[in-house]
Amino acid sequence: AEVVLSDEFSPPPRQATLDAEFQKALQVEKDLYQAVRDSEREMQDIVSLRKREEQVIILEKSVFETAREKAKENTVDESAVEIQEEKDENHVDYLTPFLQNVHDISAITLEEAEDARDECLKAMKERLLERANIIQCRLDEENSLLAKKQAAFQRNRDHVEGADDEFERFCAEAMFRIQILEQRLSQHEETALQKYANLDQKLRQDPRLTGLNAK
């Protein structure tokens, strides 16, 4: 190729210099072309990713919602057991087990009637106290476990990745279980006296304890 000089009096450049300049210009052109292609490819990847994200809608529940659901599942079985126990109490003969020492049920004495009534009420009281103790023990365990977890978390300031989320989830679940147990204990305490009074009234009206009416 013919080289045109801006200064006709300047000596013509050497062929090696021209080749070097040509190769440099060619490399710059290749680099620019590759940069454009990389930019286009990156843009295509971004567009493709955005389309996939729009097509797949993921609804993530909050930590507290997840915790409440898990804790609620853990209390369903226990509530079902308590409901079944109450049904059994309503259908099972509450008095017969305490009439074993009565010599003649058709001629029950005042002392025998009082003993049967007292033993029946005592058994009811023990069941109510036992249930309250079970709920209270579980409540104490949950509070103790939560306190230990919080103390351990405070001691270990250098947490691994994801530890904060795990701790937050644990606390949310524990607090929900504690709330449920507190509600159950409060409800049990409110209904225990009424159940005891209802049984006492049923015993006084039970025809098998006619001796009480003669008192």
Side-chain angles (χ1 to χ4, degrees), residues 58-199:
I58 302 176
L59 299 177
E60 295 185 354
K61 298 180 180 178
S62 69
V63 170
F64 294 98
E65 289 175 344
T66 304
R68 287 174 65 89
E69 288 183 359
K70 289 185 177 180
K72 187 175 181 180
E73 290 175 359
N74 293 334
T75 59
V76 169
D77 292 339
E78 296 177 2
S79 299
V81 170
E82 290 188 359
I83 293 174
Q84 185 60 44
E85 288 179 352
E86 292 182 0
K87 289 182 178 180
D88 292 341
E89 290 176 358
N90 294 330
H91 291 86
V92 173
D93 188 348
Y94 55 88
L95 183 58
T96 297
F98 307 99
L99 296 175
Q100 303 300 321
N101 295 327
V102 177
H103 294 86
D104 185 359
I105 191 63
S106 61
I108 188 171
T109 65
L110 174 59
E111 183 179 1
E112 290 174 334
E114 288 179 339
D115 288 343
R117 180 198 62 189
D118 292 344
E119 289 298 321
C120 187
L121 289 173
K122 179 182 178 182
M124 166 63 80
K125 182 178 180 180
E126 290 176 350
R127 287 198 303 272
L128 293 173
L129 288 175
E130 181 182 9
R131 183 173 296 175
N133 289 335
I134 291 174
I135 299 175
Q136 184 64 58
C137 287
R138 286 211 54 208
L139 181 58
D140 293 342
E141 290 175 359
E142 289 291 347
N143 280 312
S144 177
L145 184 61
L146 177 60
K148 291 179 180 178
K149 190 76 172 181
Q150 289 173 333
F153 185 80
Q154 292 298 326
R155 287 196 303 268
N156 301 326
R157 302 307 303 174
D158 297 330
H159 306 303
V160 297
E161 184 178 356
D164 290 346
D165 293 339
E166 181 181 353
F167 175 72
E168 184 179 2
R169 186 178 297 105
F170 174 85
C171 290
E173 293 179 6
M175 290 300 296
F176 183 73
R177 288 194 299 268
I178 290 172
Q179 180 183 12
I180 292 296
L181 289 170
E182 289 176 342
Q183 292 176 352
R184 289 173 59 190
L185 182 59
S186 177
Q187 183 180 8
H188 176 73
E189 292 173 346
E190 292 176 359
T191 60
L193 293 177
Q194 186 61 45
K195 288 181 178 181
Y196 187 88
N198 290 342
L199 179 59

